Amino acid sequence: MTEKRSRPTIADVARHAGVSTTTVSHTFSGKGVVASATRERVRSAAKSLGYRPDVVARSLRSNRLGVIALVLRPLETLDSSLPEGVDYFLRFAGSAALAAMDFGYGLMLVSDPTRDESPAAALACDGFLITEPVTNDPLIEMLLGEGVPFLSVGKDPARAEYDAWLDTDTELMTDRVLRHLEDAGATRVALVAGTDPNSWNLGAEAAYRAWAANRAQDALVTIRPETTGEAGGREAADELFDRNDPPDAVYCLTGRHAAGVLARVRERGLDVPGHVQIVGGSDSEHTRSAVPPITSVDLQPEHLARVAVTLLVNRLDNLDRPVSPGHLHGRLVVRGSTR
């Protein structure tokens, strides 16, 4: 059987030529200013890799297709596009698709078009909706370089030059969770964060560290990859509760980690919420079905998706349609895991 060769991407050419993806894009699109020597280096790198610019997608994008591309960035680091027990992405994508239909658009769910796995047709979409972009996100760099309209839910933490993003007030929500635990009697709170370098993880950790410093508490932070799920939560619990000064409350940014922490502390003979209180940063089937059910942040993805789609199509259509009212920072759902 002949092995299928992966299609070289614009990011591959950029790495090979030692330039940015924007420079590669400008070299082939004719936009921007690229020095002749740099342009030749890019073309040489493209030729050696067998890369061809997608002229079909560029031609299609010059006309309106009536399609929005949705990139759910966190899914690209998980072990599945349908992670067990996690319904945030389904809720967001479903609401975004229905909202797009209301405005006469279709919605295409794709992986990052700078990667091999994404269909080339994604680049022909009228605009992009991106959730939780990562630091120095290559897709945002490419879209800025190409002048393709987009909106990100959360901001690329390393990029200050764009304003097409929704602020979900991660720091505010983190502070509310910590105040809830404090009001419930917690005196030593730990944080279990993920490894994805996005504004959700980075903003929550920064807010937690500031909260701990204001109370003269040592910051207890443990990091686990999102893909580890409940097993990662169990590992985090062992790390935190093997200490001589264990916490009496744990805030986990994912529901799967929270479920793992709950299971492990109960195996260790600790009562929840008697000895340890637990909060999940993203409500899920894991948090709702746990025993006891875990207090969690409902990120309200349906509302968030409607707002994001409305703002993006307003930009595409040069209109000012009203946006659904309501906060974007989610709401705390108090359950049995906290007092």
Side-chain angles (χ1 to χ4, degrees):
M1 181 181 295
T2 303
E3 183 178 353
K4 183 180 179 181
R5 297 179 59 187
S6 61
R7 174 169 53 89
T9 67
I10 191 173
D12 295 328
V13 177
R15 283 192 296 270
H16 197 73
V19 298
S20 68
T21 54
T22 300
T23 299
V24 177
S25 175
H26 285 175
T27 296
F28 290 108
S29 68
K31 297 180 180 179
V33 178
V34 181
S36 58
T38 302
R39 188 165 54 248
E40 287 305 313
R41 189 165 77 251
V42 170
R43 292 187 181 279
S44 176
K47 183 177 181 180
S48 66
L49 293 173
Y51 170 81
R52 292 179 181 272
D54 198 330
V55 294
V56 174
R58 184 172 292 116
S59 174
L60 285 171
R61 198 169 58 243
S62 66
N63 300 298
R64 297 295 294 273
L65 289 181
V67 177
I68 296 170
L70 171 60
V71 177
L72 297 169
R73 174 65 79 190
L75 285 182
E76 296 178 2
T77 58
L78 293 177
D79 51 353
S80 169
S81 294
L82 288 171
E84 182 183 358
V86 180
D87 52 24
Y88 172 86
F89 304 111
L90 287 173
R91 292 168 63 190
F92 188 101
S95 180
L98 294 174
M101 287 178 62
D102 283 342
F103 296 120
Y105 283 82
L107 184 120
M108 179 188 295
L109 179 60
V110 297
S111 58
D112 175 5
T114 67
R115 300 175 57 185
D116 293 338
E117 302 83 60
S118 186
L123 293 174
C125 291
D126 300 321
F128 277 75
L129 188 58
I130 310 163
T131 67
E132 289 80 43
V134 296
T135 301
N136 290 314
D137 199 296
L139 177 55
I140 288 182
E141 182 178 356
M142 185 187 75
L143 296 176
L144 287 171
E146 287 280 354
V148 179
F150 73 92
L151 182 78
S152 67
V153 177
K155 190 173 186 179
D156 179 338
R159 212 175 288 274
E161 75 274 18
Y162 81 100
D163 57 6
W165 63 286
L166 282 182
D167 186 356
T168 55
D169 284 327
T170 297
E171 292 82 357
L172 172 65
M173 200 65 236
T174 301
D175 188 67
R176 288 190 176 182
V177 168
L178 296 171
R179 289 181 183 276
H180 166 69
L181 288 169
E182 190 175 38
D183 291 343
T187 59
R188 187 167 174 76
V189 182
L191 175 72
V192 179
T195 55
D196 288 355
N198 53 35
S199 58
W200 168 244
N201 280 322
L202 299 177
E205 182 176 349
Y208 165 78
R209 289 186 180 278
W211 180 88
N214 287 338
R215 287 154 182 77
Q217 175 196 308
D218 292 336
L220 296 178
V221 180
T222 181
I223 307 294
R224 290 294 183 279
E226 284 81 353
T227 189
T228 57
E230 287 192 59
R234 289 172 176 270
E235 294 172 0
D238 285 334
E239 178 181 332
L240 292 170
F241 289 92
D242 281 342
R243 299 172 57 98
N244 294 326
D245 53 351
D248 59 4
V250 183
Y251 179 35
C252 302
L253 295 187
T254 77
R256 298 201 298 178
H257 283 162
V261 169
L262 172 63
R264 191 73 186 103
V265 297
R266 294 187 68 191
E267 290 169 359
R268 296 172 73 106
L270 299 173
D271 179 66
V272 178
H275 298 114
V276 183
Q277 300 186 75
I278 300 172
V279 177
S282 178
D283 199 22
S284 67
E285 184 59 31
H286 283 87
T287 55
R288 293 188 292 270
S289 63
V291 181
I294 299 173
T295 295
S296 299
V297 178
D298 180 0
L299 298 171
Q300 303 184 97
E302 294 89 354
H303 171 63
L304 191 58
R306 285 194 299 271
V307 170
V309 168
T310 303
L311 292 174
L312 179 58
V313 298
N314 276 353
R315 182 179 178 189
L316 294 173
D317 296 340
N318 195 26
L319 294 174
D320 189 23
R321 301 180 182 91
V323 176
S324 299
H327 296 296
L328 300 179
H329 53 61
R331 63 189 181 91
L332 185 65
V333 182
V334 179
R335 299 190 180 106
S337 66
T338 58
R339 291 191 290 270

PDB file of all heavy atoms in Angstrom, residues 184-205:
ATOM      1  N   ALA A 184     -17.335  30.100  51.723  1.00  0.00           N
ATOM      2  CA  ALA A 184     -17.750  28.781  52.200  1.00  0.00           C
ATOM      3  C   ALA A 184     -16.775  28.211  53.234  1.00  0.00           C
ATOM      4  O   ALA A 184     -16.896  27.051  53.620  1.00  0.00           O
ATOM      5  CB  ALA A 184     -17.876  27.824  51.028  1.00  0.00           C
ATOM      6  N   GLY A 185     -15.797  29.012  53.640  1.00  0.00           N
ATOM      7  CA  GLY A 185     -14.912  28.606  54.723  1.00  0.00           C
ATOM      8  C   GLY A 185     -13.546  28.111  54.318  1.00  0.00           C
ATOM      9  O   GLY A 185     -12.743  27.729  55.161  1.00  0.00           O
ATOM     10  N   ALA A 186     -13.242  28.089  53.027  1.00  0.00           N
ATOM     11  CA  ALA A 186     -11.927  27.616  52.585  1.00  0.00           C
ATOM     12  C   ALA A 186     -10.848  28.619  52.974  1.00  0.00           C
ATOM     13  O   ALA A 186     -11.031  29.834  52.844  1.00  0.00           O
ATOM     14  CB  ALA A 186     -11.918  27.404  51.076  1.00  0.00           C
ATOM     15  N   THR A 187      -9.718  28.106  53.437  1.00  0.00           N
ATOM     16  CA  THR A 187      -8.611  28.978  53.835  1.00  0.00           C
ATOM     17  C   THR A 187      -7.340  28.714  53.038  1.00  0.00           C
ATOM     18  O   THR A 187      -6.394  29.499  53.101  1.00  0.00           O
ATOM     19  CB  THR A 187      -8.281  28.784  55.328  1.00  0.00           C
ATOM     20  OG1 THR A 187      -7.928  27.402  55.560  1.00  0.00           O
ATOM     21  CG2 THR A 187      -9.481  29.148  56.199  1.00  0.00           C
ATOM     22  N   ARG A 188      -7.326  27.602  52.286  1.00  0.00           N
ATOM     23  CA  ARG A 188      -6.135  27.254  51.512  1.00  0.00           C
ATOM     24  C   ARG A 188      -6.596  26.618  50.202  1.00  0.00           C
ATOM     25  O   ARG A 188      -6.886  25.417  50.136  1.00  0.00           O
ATOM     26  CB  ARG A 188      -5.247  26.294  52.306  1.00  0.00           C
ATOM     27  CG  ARG A 188      -3.898  26.011  51.661  1.00  0.00           C
ATOM     28  CD  ARG A 188      -2.988  25.309  52.667  1.00  0.00           C
ATOM     29  NE  ARG A 188      -1.740  24.903  52.055  1.00  0.00           N
ATOM     30  CZ  ARG A 188      -0.729  25.731  51.769  1.00  0.00           C
ATOM     31  NH1 ARG A 188      -0.844  27.019  52.013  1.00  0.00           N
ATOM     32  NH2 ARG A 188       0.382  25.278  51.225  1.00  0.00           N
ATOM     33  N   VAL A 189      -6.654  27.428  49.145  1.00  0.00           N
ATOM     34  CA  VAL A 189      -7.212  27.007  47.865  1.00  0.00           C
ATOM     35  C   VAL A 189      -6.087  26.708  46.881  1.00  0.00           C
ATOM     36  O   VAL A 189      -5.122  27.474  46.772  1.00  0.00           O
ATOM     37  CB  VAL A 189      -8.140  28.093  47.278  1.00  0.00           C
ATOM     38  CG1 VAL A 189      -8.755  27.615  45.959  1.00  0.00           C
ATOM     39  CG2 VAL A 189      -9.234  28.463  48.273  1.00  0.00           C
ATOM     40  N   ALA A 190      -6.224  25.602  46.167  1.00  0.00           N
ATOM     41  CA  ALA A 190      -5.260  25.232  45.118  1.00  0.00           C
ATOM     42  C   ALA A 190      -5.926  25.377  43.755  1.00  0.00           C
ATOM     43  O   ALA A 190      -7.153  25.356  43.633  1.00  0.00           O
ATOM     44  CB  ALA A 190      -4.783  23.798  45.315  1.00  0.00           C
ATOM     45  N   LEU A 191      -5.088  25.504  42.721  1.00  0.00           N
ATOM     46  CA  LEU A 191      -5.569  25.612  41.348  1.00  0.00           C
ATOM     47  C   LEU A 191      -4.982  24.487  40.514  1.00  0.00           C
ATOM     48  O   LEU A 191      -3.778  24.236  40.538  1.00  0.00           O
ATOM     49  CB  LEU A 191      -5.151  26.958  40.740  1.00  0.00           C
ATOM     50  CG  LEU A 191      -5.481  27.153  39.249  1.00  0.00           C
ATOM     51  CD1 LEU A 191      -6.990  27.339  39.061  1.00  0.00           C
ATOM     52  CD2 LEU A 191      -4.729  28.355  38.673  1.00  0.00           C
ATOM     53  N   VAL A 192      -5.849  23.802  39.747  1.00  0.00           N
ATOM     54  CA  VAL A 192      -5.407  22.820  38.758  1.00  0.00           C
ATOM     55  C   VAL A 192      -5.709  23.403  37.380  1.00  0.00           C
ATOM     56  O   VAL A 192      -6.877  23.547  37.004  1.00  0.00           O
ATOM     57  CB  VAL A 192      -6.121  21.467  38.929  1.00  0.00           C
ATOM     58  CG1 VAL A 192      -5.633  20.476  37.861  1.00  0.00           C
ATOM     59  CG2 VAL A 192      -5.877  20.899  40.324  1.00  0.00           C
ATOM     60  N   ALA A 193      -4.668  23.774  36.642  1.00  0.00           N
ATOM     61  CA  ALA A 193      -4.825  24.409  35.330  1.00  0.00           C
ATOM     62  C   ALA A 193      -4.373  23.461  34.227  1.00  0.00           C
ATOM     63  O   ALA A 193      -3.711  22.452  34.480  1.00  0.00           O
ATOM     64  CB  ALA A 193      -4.031  25.717  35.271  1.00  0.00           C
ATOM     65  N   GLY A 194      -4.720  23.818  32.993  1.00  0.00           N
ATOM     66  CA  GLY A 194      -4.298  23.037  31.842  1.00  0.00           C
ATOM     67  C   GLY A 194      -3.017  23.580  31.238  1.00  0.00           C
ATOM     68  O   GLY A 194      -2.470  24.594  31.691  1.00  0.00           O
ATOM     69  N   THR A 195      -2.553  22.916  30.196  1.00  0.00           N
ATOM     70  CA  THR A 195      -1.279  23.289  29.568  1.00  0.00           C
ATOM     71  C   THR A 195      -1.452  24.115  28.298  1.00  0.00           C
ATOM     72  O   THR A 195      -0.478  24.675  27.800  1.00  0.00           O
ATOM     73  CB  THR A 195      -0.460  22.035  29.219  1.00  0.00           C
ATOM     74  OG1 THR A 195      -1.259  21.165  28.401  1.00  0.00           O
ATOM     75  CG2 THR A 195      -0.033  21.297  30.470  1.00  0.00           C
ATOM     76  N   ASP A 196      -2.667  24.194  27.736  1.00  0.00           N
ATOM     77  CA  ASP A 196      -2.854  24.981  26.517  1.00  0.00           C
ATOM     78  C   ASP A 196      -2.507  26.442  26.802  1.00  0.00           C
ATOM     79  O   ASP A 196      -3.056  27.038  27.748  1.00  0.00           O
ATOM     80  CB  ASP A 196      -4.300  24.901  26.035  1.00  0.00           C
ATOM     81  CG  ASP A 196      -4.642  23.551  25.439  1.00  0.00           C
ATOM     82  OD1 ASP A 196      -3.734  22.715  25.306  1.00  0.00           O
ATOM     83  OD2 ASP A 196      -5.825  23.333  25.112  1.00  0.00           O
ATOM     84  N   PRO A 197      -1.629  27.049  25.992  1.00  0.00           N
ATOM     85  CA  PRO A 197      -1.214  28.436  26.254  1.00  0.00           C
ATOM     86  C   PRO A 197      -2.239  29.444  25.732  1.00  0.00           C
ATOM     87  O   PRO A 197      -1.974  30.222  24.811  1.00  0.00           O
ATOM     88  CB  PRO A 197       0.118  28.536  25.501  1.00  0.00           C
ATOM     89  CG  PRO A 197      -0.045  27.615  24.335  1.00  0.00           C
ATOM     90  CD  PRO A 197      -0.892  26.466  24.838  1.00  0.00           C
ATOM     91  N   ASN A 198      -3.421  29.438  26.332  1.00  0.00           N
ATOM     92  CA  ASN A 198      -4.468  30.362  25.898  1.00  0.00           C
ATOM     93  C   ASN A 198      -4.842  31.306  27.037  1.00  0.00           C
ATOM     94  O   ASN A 198      -4.384  31.164  28.175  1.00  0.00           O
ATOM     95  CB  ASN A 198      -5.698  29.592  25.396  1.00  0.00           C
ATOM     96  CG  ASN A 198      -6.212  28.575  26.409  1.00  0.00           C
ATOM     97  OD1 ASN A 198      -6.162  28.795  27.614  1.00  0.00           O
ATOM     98  ND2 ASN A 198      -6.691  27.435  25.923  1.00  0.00           N
ATOM     99  N   SER A 199      -5.703  32.281  26.743  1.00  0.00           N
ATOM    100  CA  SER A 199      -6.048  33.288  27.742  1.00  0.00           C
ATOM    101  C   SER A 199      -6.864  32.696  28.884  1.00  0.00           C
ATOM    102  O   SER A 199      -6.881  33.242  29.989  1.00  0.00           O
ATOM    103  CB  SER A 199      -6.814  34.438  27.082  1.00  0.00           C
ATOM    104  OG  SER A 199      -7.987  33.974  26.436  1.00  0.00           O
ATOM    105  N   TRP A 200      -7.539  31.574  28.639  1.00  0.00           N
ATOM    106  CA  TRP A 200      -8.315  30.907  29.697  1.00  0.00           C
ATOM    107  C   TRP A 200      -7.378  30.396  30.795  1.00  0.00           C
ATOM    108  O   TRP A 200      -7.545  30.726  31.971  1.00  0.00           O
ATOM    109  CB  TRP A 200      -9.112  29.771  29.081  1.00  0.00           C
ATOM    110  CG  TRP A 200      -9.751  28.797  30.027  1.00  0.00           C
ATOM    111  CD1 TRP A 200      -9.461  27.472  30.148  1.00  0.00           C
ATOM    112  CD2 TRP A 200     -10.804  29.053  30.961  1.00  0.00           C
ATOM    113  NE1 TRP A 200     -10.262  26.884  31.109  1.00  0.00           N
ATOM    114  CE2 TRP A 200     -11.091  27.834  31.624  1.00  0.00           C
ATOM    115  CE3 TRP A 200     -11.514  30.199  31.316  1.00  0.00           C
ATOM    116  CZ2 TRP A 200     -12.069  27.723  32.604  1.00  0.00           C
ATOM    117  CZ3 TRP A 200     -12.498  30.088  32.304  1.00  0.00           C
ATOM    118  CH2 TRP A 200     -12.767  28.871  32.929  1.00  0.00           C
ATOM    119  N   ASN A 201      -6.377  29.614  30.417  1.00  0.00           N
ATOM    120  CA  ASN A 201      -5.439  29.094  31.408  1.00  0.00           C
ATOM    121  C   ASN A 201      -4.571  30.199  32.013  1.00  0.00           C
ATOM    122  O   ASN A 201      -4.393  30.279  33.233  1.00  0.00           O
ATOM    123  CB  ASN A 201      -4.532  28.032  30.775  1.00  0.00           C
ATOM    124  CG  ASN A 201      -5.209  26.679  30.656  1.00  0.00           C
ATOM    125  OD1 ASN A 201      -5.949  26.259  31.533  1.00  0.00           O
ATOM    126  ND2 ASN A 201      -4.968  25.992  29.552  1.00  0.00           N
ATOM    127  N   LEU A 202      -4.005  31.042  31.148  1.00  0.00           N
ATOM    128  CA  LEU A 202      -3.074  32.067  31.623  1.00  0.00           C
ATOM    129  C   LEU A 202      -3.779  33.124  32.460  1.00  0.00           C
ATOM    130  O   LEU A 202      -3.269  33.561  33.498  1.00  0.00           O
ATOM    131  CB  LEU A 202      -2.374  32.715  30.428  1.00  0.00           C
ATOM    132  CG  LEU A 202      -1.535  31.775  29.556  1.00  0.00           C
ATOM    133  CD1 LEU A 202      -0.953  32.518  28.360  1.00  0.00           C
ATOM    134  CD2 LEU A 202      -0.419  31.137  30.370  1.00  0.00           C
ATOM    135  N   GLY A 203      -4.977  33.538  32.023  1.00  0.00           N
ATOM    136  CA  GLY A 203      -5.713  34.551  32.777  1.00  0.00           C
ATOM    137  C   GLY A 203      -6.190  34.036  34.120  1.00  0.00           C
ATOM    138  O   GLY A 203      -6.129  34.754  35.126  1.00  0.00           O
ATOM    139  N   ALA A 204      -6.675  32.787  34.158  1.00  0.00           N
ATOM    140  CA  ALA A 204      -7.145  32.214  35.420  1.00  0.00           C
ATOM    141  C   ALA A 204      -5.993  32.056  36.410  1.00  0.00           C
ATOM    142  O   ALA A 204      -6.138  32.354  37.607  1.00  0.00           O
ATOM    143  CB  ALA A 204      -7.813  30.869  35.169  1.00  0.00           C
ATOM    144  N   GLU A 205      -4.837  31.592  35.928  1.00  0.00           N
ATOM    145  CA  GLU A 205      -3.701  31.433  36.829  1.00  0.00           C
ATOM    146  C   GLU A 205      -3.221  32.777  37.363  1.00  0.00           C
ATOM    147  O   GLU A 205      -2.890  32.906  38.555  1.00  0.00           O
ATOM    148  CB  GLU A 205      -2.553  30.710  36.127  1.00  0.00           C
ATOM    149  CG  GLU A 205      -1.364  30.467  37.050  1.00  0.00           C
ATOM    150  CD  GLU A 205      -0.243  29.660  36.427  1.00  0.00           C
ATOM    151  OE1 GLU A 205      -0.457  29.088  35.338  1.00  0.00           O
ATOM    152  OE2 GLU A 205       0.852  29.606  37.024  1.00  0.00           O
TER     153      GLU A 205
END
